[in-house]
Amino acid sequence: MSLDILNGKIRVLNYEQSPVGFPSQHNQQGVFIRGRDENEDFVIERVAFDDIEIENSKSDLFKVGRLRFHPDEEDEIYLKLGIEDKENILSDKQLFDLLTNDSIDVIKRISSLKSLSLLTRMKSKLFTMERTGKMPPHTITAVVSERLSELKNGGKRNPDSEINRLMELEKKAQQEGKLQEKLEQLMQKVETLEQESKQKDEIISKSHSALEDLLAKVASLSEPKHVTSDTEENKKTVGRPPKDK
């Protein structure tokens, strides 16, 4: 899809209420994009692409979404500007969703950011949320403030920081989870062995019973039987009175 170009300029959107300005090769007064009103979703201004390229090489206004482009054109423009980490280009709604989620994945993401502009934007958003009664999680507020301070002071992290405390808790939870998993595996293995042992005992018991029955049959077959001979039968009949005919 080709860009919507008018007089050599493309559409640039400002979702924030704060105005944004930067130098221009075409206008001595530079580029100025006013902030949106409360009843507006965004403000659109036409800006020369070469001005955008130059500003993008000096700041991260476009890299973090402080200024954005029309949704139909943004992928093509980001490609032309060489912006690859699109996950850090956040709309106001995406920023709000991120800052209201205090999961460990979000904390890790914020704690690894390297953009002062994005963190400053986050802090401004947190302030707006607090002012309007949409209280963000305490941990997120602390992590954003700490990471912003770290970058301003060379990126060094305080050992006693909230970020480190949360990371340690996550590490401990992972270790406990692994130990619990191993314990469950061992318990399942013991249960399986007990079942197998029980089955073996039943087989052995049945085998003993069958063997005893077989031995009893063999013993009964080997015992001598009492047989009455003809001589003994004749002896019994001697002296008996003859039967009447």
Side-chain angles (χ1 to χ4, degrees):
M1 180 178 180
S2 60
L3 299 180
D4 182 355
I5 300 174
L6 180 65
N7 298 326
K9 298 181 179 182
I10 63 174
R11 295 175 288 185
V12 175
L13 282 63
N14 183 8
Y15 285 87
E16 302 290 334
Q17 291 183 319
S18 302
V20 178
F22 54 89
S24 170
Q25 295 187 109
H26 308 284
N27 189 336
Q28 291 183 350
Q29 296 180 345
V31 175
F32 179 81
I33 305 176
R34 71 173 177 85
R36 66 174 180 82
D37 295 332
E38 290 187 0
N39 60 343
E40 293 178 310
D41 292 329
F42 51 80
V43 173
I44 295 182
E45 293 289 343
R46 292 278 179 172
V47 181
F49 187 73
D50 55 355
D51 283 344
I52 293 171
E53 286 183 305
I54 293 171
E55 181 61 27
N56 188 63
S57 67
K58 297 186 297 183
S59 76
D60 53 7
L61 279 176
F62 300 99
K63 295 173 184 175
V64 299
R66 180 68 176 79
L67 292 175
R68 297 176 66 91
F69 305 102
H70 193 279
D72 294 340
E73 303 173 334
E74 61 180 11
D75 286 343
E76 184 178 350
I77 296 173
Y78 290 144
L79 183 63
K80 289 179 181 293
L81 293 175
I83 296 175
E84 298 178 352
D85 57 340
K86 193 178 176 182
E87 67 274 6
N88 285 334
I89 301 174
L90 304 172
S91 65
D92 273 7
K93 184 181 184 307
Q94 290 171 323
L95 199 59
F96 177 84
D97 292 342
L98 185 73
L99 295 175
T100 52
N101 181 353
D102 60 350
S103 69
I104 191 64
D105 290 336
V106 171
I107 290 169
K108 287 179 178 179
R109 179 177 176 181
I110 294 173
S111 67
S112 64
L113 290 175
K114 297 179 180 179
S115 170
L116 279 170
S117 294
L118 180 54
L119 285 161
T120 301
R121 186 177 169 216
M122 284 182 170
K123 192 163 186 178
S124 175
K125 187 69 175 176
L126 287 168
F127 175 75
T128 301
M129 290 164 65
E130 290 174 357
R131 190 181 61 185
T132 56
K134 300 173 182 177
M135 299 302 294
H138 168 74
T139 50
I140 293 297
T141 301
V143 168
V144 169
S145 297
E146 283 184 355
R147 185 55 182 162
L148 186 59
S149 178
E150 286 172 4
L151 291 184
K152 288 180 178 179
N153 292 282
K156 187 176 180 180
R157 180 158 295 165
N158 186 334
D160 298 326
S161 68
E162 182 72 4
I163 294 174
N164 278 351
R165 186 186 73 81
L166 293 169
M167 294 297 188
E168 283 299 319
L169 286 175
E170 167 65 8
K171 184 178 179 181
K172 184 178 179 181
Q174 287 181 343
Q175 291 173 342
E176 290 177 350
K178 288 179 181 179
L179 288 174
Q180 183 64 30
E181 184 179 354
K182 286 183 179 180
L183 178 61
E184 290 175 357
Q185 289 174 350
L186 286 173
M187 290 176 66
Q188 186 175 3
K189 188 173 182 179
V190 169
E191 185 179 351
T192 301
L193 289 173
E194 287 177 346
Q195 290 177 351
E196 291 176 352
S197 177
K198 185 178 179 181
Q199 290 173 353
K200 287 179 181 178
D201 290 342
E202 290 176 354
I203 292 172
I204 291 172
S205 178
K206 289 179 180 179
S207 298
H208 281 163
S209 297
L211 182 59
E212 289 174 355
D213 291 344
L214 182 61
L215 288 173
K217 289 180 180 179
V218 171
S220 66
L221 290 174
S222 61
E223 289 178 356
K225 292 183 177 180
H226 181 70
V227 180
T228 304
S229 63
D230 291 341
T231 304
E232 291 177 339
E233 184 66 28
N234 291 334
K235 286 179 181 179
K236 292 178 181 179
T237 58
V238 173
R240 291 181 181 174
K243 294 181 179 180
D244 296 334
K245 294 184 179 179

